[in-house]
Amino acid sequence: MAQAQIPQAGTEVPGDAHAADIGFPPFATETFAGQIIWLAITFVVLYTLLSKLVLPRLTGIIENRREIIAKDLDDAAAMKTRAEEAGVAYEKALAEARGRAQALAQETRGKLAAESDAKRKALEADLGSRLAEAEGTITAKKNEAMSHVRGIAAETASAIVERITGQAPAPQAVEAALDRTKV
């Protein structure tokens, strides 16, 4: 394999022997003084542009940004303080609401207990009056029944004597016998 030779492209111009000696143009000593002058002029122009136009704008932007950040931090601190105050106020309001709710619950419990006691007392009074009435009725019925006991005893004694003897006893004799057995 044979490699083909590619001619190198260069700055050489055929027939110009002096062009081959130049080398890298910025290092040419003939143009070195002009290059230094243009470097100085360019440096001064760029330094002037940067120091008079670009750097003040950048400084202004940085200062403006610093002021905005400081203002935002102050606003955040103020908002944090307000949030903490709101939290304290919320906790205070919540505690007051709990206290009111407990007082209201206690008051309601007291009212309900009083109503319950009043109803219980009314019911007890009603039951007491009914009991007294029932006892009065029982006593009356008992007295009425006891008033009939003598008659029932007389009839029973007469019936027993008649059954045993076959003859009915005299009512006066039965009454006399009942009077003797009275205790």
Side-chain angles (χ1 to χ4, degrees), residues 2-3 5 12 23 25 30 34 57-58 60 63-64 66 71 78 92 94 116 124 142 155 171:
Q3 284 190 340
Q5 292 284 356
E12 292 181 27
E30 297 88 32
R57 285 183 184 172
L58 286 177
E63 285 299 318
N64 186 25
R66 193 173 288 145
K71 181 181 174 279
K92 182 180 176 183
L94 187 61
S116 176
E124 285 176 358
K142 180 181 169 185
E155 288 178 15

Side-chain angles (χ1 to χ4, degrees), residues 59-72:
T59 304
I61 290 171
I62 291 171
E63 285 299 318
N64 186 25
R65 189 71 187 140
R66 193 173 288 145
E67 289 172 5
I68 289 171
I69 290 171
K71 181 181 174 279
D72 289 346

Side-chain angles (χ1 to χ4, degrees), residues 157-159 161-163 165-171 174:
S158 294
V161 171
E162 184 179 339
R163 182 151 179 125
T165 60
Q167 254 184 339
V174 175

Side-chain angles (χ1 to χ4, degrees), residues 5-163:
Q5 292 284 356
I6 302 173
Q8 299 237 349
T11 56
E12 292 181 27
V13 177
D16 190 8
H18 188 311
D21 293 326
I22 293 179
F24 189 55
F27 292 143
T29 57
E30 297 88 32
T31 60
F32 196 65
Q35 290 176 7
I36 295 287
I37 290 172
W38 279 110
L39 175 68
I41 290 172
T42 306
F43 179 76
V44 168
V45 168
L46 283 175
Y47 181 80
T48 305
L49 282 174
L50 285 175
S51 67
K52 299 295 181 189
L53 296 176
V54 175
L55 288 178
R57 285 183 184 172
L58 286 177
T59 304
I61 290 171
I62 291 171
E63 285 299 318
N64 186 25
R65 189 71 187 140
R66 193 173 288 145
E67 289 172 5
I68 289 171
I69 290 171
K71 181 181 174 279
D72 289 346
L73 288 174
D74 291 341
D75 290 345
M79 286 182 201
K80 180 181 177 188
T81 303
R82 283 190 302 224
E84 289 172 353
E85 290 171 356
V88 168
Y90 170 75
E91 291 296 328
K92 182 180 176 183
L94 187 61
E96 288 174 1
R98 283 186 184 143
R100 285 193 307 260
Q102 287 176 351
L104 182 61
Q106 187 65 27
E107 180 183 331
T108 303
R109 257 186 252 125
K111 284 180 183 177
L112 290 176
E115 287 176 10
S116 176
D117 284 343
K119 287 180 181 178
R120 184 181 50 82
K121 287 180 182 177
L123 184 60
E124 285 176 358
D126 183 46
L127 288 176
S129 66
R130 285 185 182 181
L131 183 62
E133 183 181 314
E135 285 178 355
T137 304
I138 290 172
T139 303
K141 294 289 184 182
K142 180 181 169 185
N143 290 337
E144 181 183 339
M146 291 306 278
S147 68
H148 297 300
V149 168
R150 187 166 178 87
I152 294 172
E155 288 178 15
T156 305
S158 294
I160 290 174
V161 171
E162 184 179 339
R163 182 151 179 125

